Amino acid sequence: NAGVTQTPKFRILKIGQSMTLQCTQDMNHNYMYWYRQDPGMGLKLIYYSVGAGITDKGEVPNGYNVSRSTTEDFPLRLELAAPSQTSVYFCASRENRGGGYEQYFGPGTRLTVT
Amino acid sequence: AQSVSQHNHHVILSEAASLELGCNYSYGGTVNLFWYVQYPGQHLQLLLKYFSGDPLVKGIKGFEAEFIKSKFSFNLRKPSVQWSDTAEYFCAVKFRMNTGFQKLVFGTGTRLLVSP
């Protein structure tokens, strides 16, 4: 298993541009998550999905959109990039069973908006 | 609101020193607790987790953590650190929201630097 993969690894955007961060997992996990990591702030949940076709907002969803057309893929869309969206973005997925669980993280995408 | 606090933002230790990183959370209900580690340039990896049972949990690479319910704490420990333990450490707590969704809340992280 490749686990959780993300592309691209790095990206520089100009203000107002748009882009899609890709996330794919091959573990047949229903649950998937997008986080952003800012220095000294820990990880904040942007959006999550409990299965194909079902998504919901996390703590910091403004400026982002997601879709989940398949179990494997959970892309994150930035429509009008702003400097405040400069961050490292992590995608994660978790096992389907209930109770305590572990989230598996991708390698991250470092995004700079100038 | 549920929150997770890590009071040590930066820790510098010499090799073979003992380590204890604090983690406190603000929720009186049932929780699951995790410590993740992020080595330089890498993604987050699970060090250990607590679901129930023995409050002293052993993880990978000689790390352990103790869940003290009365103190809402889940401190991470290692008796003797190595240079390769240099990393950022995140405490995370799983809360169940009113909607039924189980949310993982992360602390702000502790950067550990181990000098050889």
Side-chain angles (χ1 to χ4, degrees):
Chain A
N1 286 353
V4 180
T5 57
Q6 291 181 241
T7 56
K9 284 189 168 53
F10 303 94
R11 185 71 186 268
I12 299 174
L13 283 182
K14 294 191 186 305
I15 294 171
Q17 286 185 319
S18 62
M19 78 164 292
T20 299
L21 282 67
Q22 302 291 346
C23 174
T24 301
Q25 54 90 11
D26 61 359
M27 297 174 281
N28 200 33
H29 289 169
N30 284 342
Y31 296 83
M32 295 187 74
Y33 308 83
W34 273 105
Y35 294 92
R36 58 178 289 171
Q37 183 186 26
D38 300 302
M41 301 291 289
L43 277 76
K44 299 293 184 187
L45 182 64
I46 305 171
Y47 269 95
Y48 67 94
S49 170
V50 301
I54 307 170
T55 63
D56 207 348
K57 296 176 180 178
E59 301 171 84
V60 290
N62 291 345
Y64 307 95
N65 274 302
V66 293
S67 59
R68 186 92 181 274
S69 56
T70 66
T71 299
E72 295 77 20
D73 301 306
F74 190 40
L76 178 72
R77 178 91 179 149
L78 283 70
E79 291 294 350
L80 289 169
S84 61
Q85 293 178 305
T86 294
S87 188
V88 181
Y89 292 85
F90 288 100
C91 179
S93 70
R94 78 154 172 95
E95 299 161 291
N96 301 334
R97 57 189 169 90
Y101 62 84
E102 173 185 354
Q103 288 190 14
Y104 297 84
F105 285 82
T109 295
R110 187 174 291 274
L111 176 66
T112 302
V113 183
T114 62
Chain B
Q2 303 94 349
S3 64
V4 180
S5 300
Q6 292 182 243
H7 304 295
N8 312 102
H9 298 296
H10 293 89
V11 173
I12 301 174
L13 294 173
S14 300
E15 274 193 314
S18 64
L19 170 71
E20 180 160 2
L21 301 181
C23 173
N24 289 89
Y25 61 94
S26 64
Y27 182 65
T30 301
V31 293
N32 295 125
L33 303 152
F34 305 81
W35 275 97
Y36 281 86
V37 60
Q38 187 178 26
Y39 297 105
Q42 297 189 26
H43 55 57
L44 277 80
Q45 303 168 44
L46 185 70
L47 264 184
L48 48 80
K49 56 188 175 183
Y50 171 81
F51 300 158
S52 62
D54 188 345
L56 185 61
V57 179
K58 295 200 183 295
I60 60 171
K61 303 187 181 185
F63 286 90
E64 64 179 32
E66 185 175 13
F67 171 48
I68 303 180
K69 190 173 181 179
S70 60
K71 295 186 178 180
F72 300 92
S73 70
F74 189 54
N75 292 353
L76 181 71
R77 299 194 292 249
K78 185 170 184 178
S80 175
V81 294
Q82 300 172 313
W83 175 79
S84 58
D85 293 323
T86 293
E88 190 159 15
Y89 293 81
F90 292 93
C91 180
V93 181
K94 189 193 77 173
F95 303 100
R96 181 181 289 275
M97 298 171 69
N98 292 338
T99 57
F101 173 66
Q102 296 175 4
K103 176 182 173 182
L104 195 61
V105 177
F106 285 84
T108 53
T110 298
R111 280 188 191 273
L112 172 66
L113 175 63
V114 180
S115 57

